Amino acid sequence: MKRTLFASVFALAGVTGLQAQETEIRVHYAIPTIWADTQQTLADAFMEKHPDVKITIDGPAEGYEDGVQRLLRESVAGTTPDVAYVGLNLWRVLEDRGLAQPLDGFLGDDPLAQGYTPALLSLGRFEDTQYALATSASTLVMYVNPVLVEKAGGSMDEFPKTFDGVIELASKINALDGATDGVWIGRHDWRFQSLLGSHGGRPMNDDESDITFDSPEGIAAAGMYQRFAKEAGMKSYSENDARQTFPAGTLGIMFESSSLQTRFTEGAGDKFELTVKPLPIASEDTSKVYFPTGGSAIVMLTDDEAKQQAAWDYMAFVTGPEGQKIIVENTGYAPANARVIEDEAYLGDFYANNPNARVAHTQVANHAGPWYAYPGAEGVAATDLIAASLVEVTEGADTEATIKDLAETLRDLLGMK
């Protein structure tokens, strides 16, 4: 009897010990101004469904570029997190270093049934292998302050649909008083690619063997920065300053990621009714137009087989309908899962109450394209050089000469010559 009782006690203790075991998954992310609260919400919702997995969120990186550099340093130190959110244009840097783990074995035979369309999968696929899954999508839109538009003699009902018209209106807003600015756009690779796509150009050719933004379309796109500065008085303040200035009500038109809609709406409060307008299309041939899909992708970095299934469960949750609903409702990003768009049970009410979001998400549906990642280990350095050249153009450097010199520099840097 005693022997049976002891055996039962030890058996029960063993089961209890197994149940108490949990797998810890470390998560890296960037841009806390957009993602901090959402990351915690995602982690809490996942852990409620998976009590055997603990999600630990690392301190965030300020931007995607900084985040990738940190991940590269951590890989050398042996402290790499298990999964990471990275820019859609930067996961290839991790793949190139052998850090991103293949996901095909986890996806199964029918990804489409899970909401992963071929277009969405293409954002994280390279050489017939799936290395990343999109977690959020955004395109460049115009955020508009209707109060300043009307003060400048403009009309929201007849808001300009061309860059010429936007620049003319921004100039009038800028002239209202010394404390009001007309327009702002960041000197940044993604924003430049957006203007380039609007003009019908591409950063590289299809096989990524040559730079192509030194085309007439690319020179015209870069020239927009100089026109915004010279003709509409665009100031050279930082991205963080711009993101405070617009909701404060002293900036008329801001070209920025659609992912910031929720933040800007809350920031504007009762000062003005935030309005979102689509990016103007400059190319006469709309079939050539594309707007690079910004946002983030999630990659698996752990090669520990004991952790990989838990890491995948987390990745599947945040890219599935429930996680995507959380992301859309809390950030303003467009969803990266077809099921959450097709089934109104997830976002039907959200779109009814957020017409600005429908504008941005429709632009994703109509013109989304790849956010071109410059290949190889110097890809991040390439984006830094692009940003520096855009600053030069904005401040008055000859646009054509600057962009052509930049293209030659990148050909050397990326080994394209």
Side-chain angles (χ1 to χ4, degrees), residues 147-162:
V147 174
L148 295 181
V149 169
E150 292 175 7
K151 281 185 178 180
S155 167
M156 292 306 298
D157 292 333
E158 298 179 4
F159 193 85
K161 296 181 180 180
T162 66

Side-chain angles (χ1 to χ4, degrees), residues 296-311:
S296 62
I298 191 167
V299 294
M300 181 187 296
L301 300 179
T302 180
D303 58 4
D304 183 346
E305 292 184 3
K307 279 191 170 187
Q308 283 188 336
Q309 185 59 53

Side-chain angles (χ1 to χ4, degrees), residues 66-372:
D66 294 338
V68 166
Q69 295 288 9
R70 179 199 293 183
L71 291 171
L72 293 177
R73 292 193 298 271
E74 289 176 334
S75 71
V76 174
T79 58
T80 312
D82 301 301
V83 299
Y85 293 80
V86 296
L88 276 169
N89 68 324
L90 291 172
W91 64 264
R92 287 274 302 278
V93 175
L94 302 176
E95 179 275 327
D96 187 68
R97 299 293 182 90
L99 299 176
Q101 301 297 310
L103 302 177
D104 299 273
F106 297 99
L107 277 169
D109 296 329
D110 192 7
L112 187 59
Q114 303 170 59
Y116 305 125
T117 65
L120 290 170
L121 290 176
S122 72
L123 298 176
R125 199 164 184 82
F126 178 62
E127 292 186 344
D128 295 326
T129 301
Q130 197 72 37
Y131 289 103
L133 292 175
T135 53
S136 58
S138 65
T139 52
L140 193 70
V141 297
M142 290 187 292
Y143 291 101
V144 181
N145 182 328
V147 174
L148 295 181
V149 169
E150 292 175 7
K151 281 185 178 180
S155 167
M156 292 306 298
D157 292 333
E158 298 179 4
F159 193 85
K161 296 181 180 180
T162 66
F163 283 111
D164 287 344
V166 169
I167 289 172
E168 182 180 355
L169 175 58
S171 176
K172 293 177 180 178
I173 295 172
N174 193 68
L176 288 173
D177 56 63
T180 302
D181 296 327
V183 66
W184 185 88
I185 184 171
R187 282 74 64 90
H188 182 275
D189 171 54
W190 178 68
R191 294 168 181 84
F192 172 59
Q193 284 195 32
S194 299
L195 297 181
L196 178 62
S198 171
H199 285 79
R202 297 291 187 275
M204 293 182 289
N205 58 7
D206 290 341
D207 64 2
E208 299 182 352
S209 63
D210 194 19
I211 298 295
T212 57
F213 63 65
D214 52 350
S215 61
E217 293 83 2
I219 293 166
M224 298 305 304
Y225 283 88
Q226 194 164 106
R227 291 191 62 194
F228 286 140
K230 285 187 174 181
E231 299 176 39
M234 183 176 72
K235 306 296 191 300
S236 293
Y237 38 70
S238 70
E239 182 177 279
N240 285 336
D241 287 342
R243 290 178 176 180
Q244 295 177 35
T245 300
F246 180 77
T250 58
L251 174 60
I253 301 168
M254 184 173 182
F255 288 81
E256 186 54 288
S257 168
S258 58
S259 64
L260 288 164
Q261 180 194 312
T262 299
R263 176 183 171 184
F264 284 167
T265 300
E266 293 173 351
D270 58 4
K271 295 188 289 293
F272 63 93
E273 185 176 352
L274 175 77
T275 301
V276 175
K277 292 291 185 180
L279 190 67
I281 292 175
S283 175
E284 294 182 2
D285 184 353
T286 57
S287 68
K288 294 182 179 180
V289 172
Y290 90 102
F291 297 146
T293 305
S296 62
I298 191 167
V299 294
M300 181 187 296
L301 300 179
T302 180
D303 58 4
D304 183 346
E305 292 184 3
K307 279 191 170 187
Q308 283 188 336
Q309 185 59 53
W312 169 254
D313 289 342
Y314 172 75
M315 295 171 70
F317 176 81
V318 300
T319 59
E322 292 180 70
Q324 289 295 290
K325 182 175 185 292
I326 291 171
I327 289 172
V328 170
E329 291 180 338
N330 287 275
T331 68
Y333 276 113
N337 185 291
R339 285 176 58 193
V340 79
I341 300 173
E342 294 164 357
D343 189 343
E344 290 198 359
Y346 291 107
L347 290 173
D349 291 340
F350 174 80
Y351 285 135
N353 296 322
N354 294 273
N356 278 331
R358 188 177 291 278
V359 171
H361 297 183
T362 298
Q363 181 167 279
V364 170
N366 290 341
H367 298 295
W371 181 358
Y372 283 76

Side-chain angles (χ1 to χ4, degrees), residues 69 72 90 93 96-97 373-385 410 412-415:
Q69 295 288 9
L72 293 177
L90 291 172
V93 175
D96 187 68
R97 299 293 182 90
Y374 294 93
E378 298 298 330
V380 175
T383 62
D384 291 340
L385 289 172
L410 294 196
D412 286 334
L413 178 71
L414 302 174

Side-chain angles (χ1 to χ4, degrees), residues 387-400:
S389 293
L390 293 174
V391 170
E392 293 177 12
V393 169
T394 305
E395 294 176 349
D398 182 88
T399 303
E400 182 173 355

